[in-house]
Amino acid sequence: MLGLAPLRSAPLPIRASAVPSARSSATACGRNSSQQQQLADGGQLSLAVPEADEGDTVLPENVHKWRMVIAYDGTKFKGWQYQPSIPTIQYFLEDALICITKLDRKKLCLVGAGRTDTGVHAWGQVAHFTTPFSYCCLNSIHSAMNGLLPPEIRVREISAARPEFHARTSTKSKVYRYKIYNEAIMDPFHNRYAYHSAYKLNPHAMQEAANYFVGTHDFTSFANAAHNDRERRSTKKITRFDVTEMGAVLQLEVEGTGFLYRQVRNMVALLLQVGKEALPPDIVPAIIAVRDRKELAKVALSAPPHGLCLMSVNYDEEILKPPEGSPPVSFGRTHHLSKCKLPFY
């Protein structure tokens, strides 16, 4: 039977009358009830935690922060960002955490490093959440999370985080990978994770064009408008953009300090046109220079989402050091996966 790790003793009042049963908690959450009923009873804390903005890094006293590394197949989900009663990655993660911690979503303050779009996958998404209590061991909450989540979503790792750590604002770089299956007949086992191009592409021309993206540029031409964008600074730094031929698969991997809405898919779309030899490689600096999304739309449409995967989110080593006295990192039973390649990636 899955159970939660015991809470550390701390001057936090626990109301015995507020302790719900595992069955009533599972019913309230409304999903995977057969698995939720296996959770051990947990006390609800009466300490109120102030709601934090996504940009906040200063924690109230006696509030603990936790970091998660998450993998998901985005095919069935409407992207990362929470929307009420809509299947998003954040929605299901919060639902599981609410069942386990007995906290509401405002107190959990779950924040992801990147808001992946509908149909986009992730192997190394990072998120953090907060609780008004600590854990002596993270293995139980890790197992409980994966027991409650849909099979397309898995928490690969949970660890204690420093108060100043923020999944989004502490980011040093992100790595995205786009897969293209370049044969006349599509391999059905790549169908969900790679874009099919029956037209034979020229990877050398694509690499030449990709090299123009490297450096610090204003990427306005490659950004779609988004109503919920808080960050509209269009100047970003790309440190590498590699085009690798792997048999029938072309792997495009880009690393940068940050990306605008649909920027990666729009860059890939232009590289596809270069690969078809419909455009020369030096079209890239020309499109960058005009800083107008309409100019790109004249020559390339955005690449489909299912070929894209967020591979990793990188941070400075100092910010990842755990707080003093924190529980060990939980890799669960998937520890060996951290050094393996995601299937089809």
Side-chain angles (χ1 to χ4, degrees):
M1 182 173 71
L2 294 177
L4 299 183
L7 302 182
R8 291 181 178 175
S9 58
L12 302 178
I14 300 179
R15 296 183 305 187
S17 61
V19 179
S21 68
R23 182 177 297 274
S24 64
S25 172
T27 304
C29 290
R31 264 172 295 279
N32 296 332
S33 59
S34 62
Q35 289 176 306
Q36 292 165 2
Q37 291 169 10
Q38 298 176 21
L39 296 177
D41 291 349
Q44 180 172 324
L45 301 178
S46 62
L47 176 67
V49 182
E51 182 178 356
D53 183 82
E54 282 197 1
D56 290 347
T57 57
V58 179
L59 292 181
E61 188 178 358
N62 293 326
V63 174
H64 302 266
K65 185 175 284 188
W66 310 96
R67 180 180 67 93
M68 297 187 292
V69 180
I70 308 151
Y72 49 85
D73 177 337
T75 305
K76 298 180 180 179
F77 302 100
K78 301 297 183 181
W80 164 270
Q81 191 170 3
Y82 175 86
Q83 300 179 59
S85 302
I86 294 179
T88 69
I89 306 298
Q90 185 177 2
Y91 176 87
F92 282 104
L93 287 167
E94 287 185 352
D95 198 47
L97 285 169
I98 288 168
C99 289
I100 295 166
T101 66
K102 312 299 188 292
L103 301 171
D104 62 36
R105 66 179 304 264
K106 291 183 178 180
K107 293 178 181 178
L108 288 167
C109 301
L110 179 68
V111 178
R115 299 171 180 174
T116 53
D117 205 2
T118 299
V120 175
H121 315 293
W123 175 241
Q125 173 72 282
V126 175
H128 76 254
F129 67 95
T130 60
T131 61
F133 49 79
S134 186
Y135 289 98
C136 295
C137 175
L138 294 172
N139 291 336
S140 293
I141 186 175
H142 193 175
S143 296
M145 284 284 292
N146 284 333
L148 290 168
L149 288 168
E152 296 87 356
I153 306 173
R154 282 295 173 264
V155 176
R156 293 173 50 207
E157 177 184 325
I158 299 182
S159 62
R162 303 170 74 90
E164 62 269 27
F165 173 82
H166 192 283
R168 180 169 53 83
T169 61
S170 299
T171 301
K172 182 180 179 181
S173 71
K174 297 176 185 175
V175 178
Y176 280 93
R177 183 178 292 175
Y178 198 94
K179 290 279 194 178
I180 303 167
Y181 193 82
N182 196 201
E183 288 286 352
I185 299 175
M186 180 62 178
D187 183 339
F189 294 101
H190 285 273
N191 188 55
R192 291 167 66 124
Y193 308 106
Y195 168 71
H196 180 215
S197 174
Y199 193 100
K200 192 63 178 177
L201 301 173
N202 182 342
H204 303 291
M206 294 173 73
Q207 182 63 76
E208 183 181 346
N211 291 340
Y212 286 111
F213 286 117
V214 177
T216 302
H217 306 287
D218 184 329
F219 284 101
T220 299
S221 296
F222 293 88
N224 284 27
H227 297 297
N228 59 358
D229 265 10
R230 295 185 181 185
E231 179 63 72
R232 289 300 299 167
R233 288 179 294 181
S234 54
T235 299
K236 305 292 180 182
K237 181 179 181 181
I238 291 181
T239 55
R240 63 183 178 93
F241 203 146
D242 303 320
V243 179
T244 306
E245 194 171 11
M246 305 168 64
V249 175
L250 277 180
Q251 175 180 291
L252 282 60
E253 188 167 281
V254 58
E255 180 173 3
T257 56
F259 297 92
L260 300 172
Y261 182 54
R262 293 195 180 175
Q263 179 185 336
V264 176
R265 287 166 57 191
N266 288 329
M267 293 190 297
V268 169
L270 187 57
L271 292 182
L272 281 167
Q273 295 302 312
V274 173
K276 294 176 182 178
E277 299 181 342
L279 296 170
D282 61 5
I283 188 67
V284 172
I287 296 292
I288 291 175
V290 295
R291 293 186 294 178
D292 187 347
R293 176 68 179 86
K294 294 177 182 178
E295 291 302 310
L296 176 63
K298 293 176 182 178
V299 296
L301 299 176
S302 185
H306 67 281
L308 185 62
C309 182
L310 174 58
M311 294 303 298
S312 65
V313 182
N314 304 313
Y315 302 89
D316 287 325
E317 290 185 9
E318 189 66 27
I319 199 73
L320 291 179
K321 290 181 178 178
E324 186 177 352
S326 60
V329 178
S330 175
F331 297 101
R333 294 182 178 180
T334 60
H335 179 37
H336 65 286
L337 294 178
S338 63
K339 296 184 179 179
C340 295
K341 293 181 179 179
L342 182 65
F344 308 118
Y345 280 97

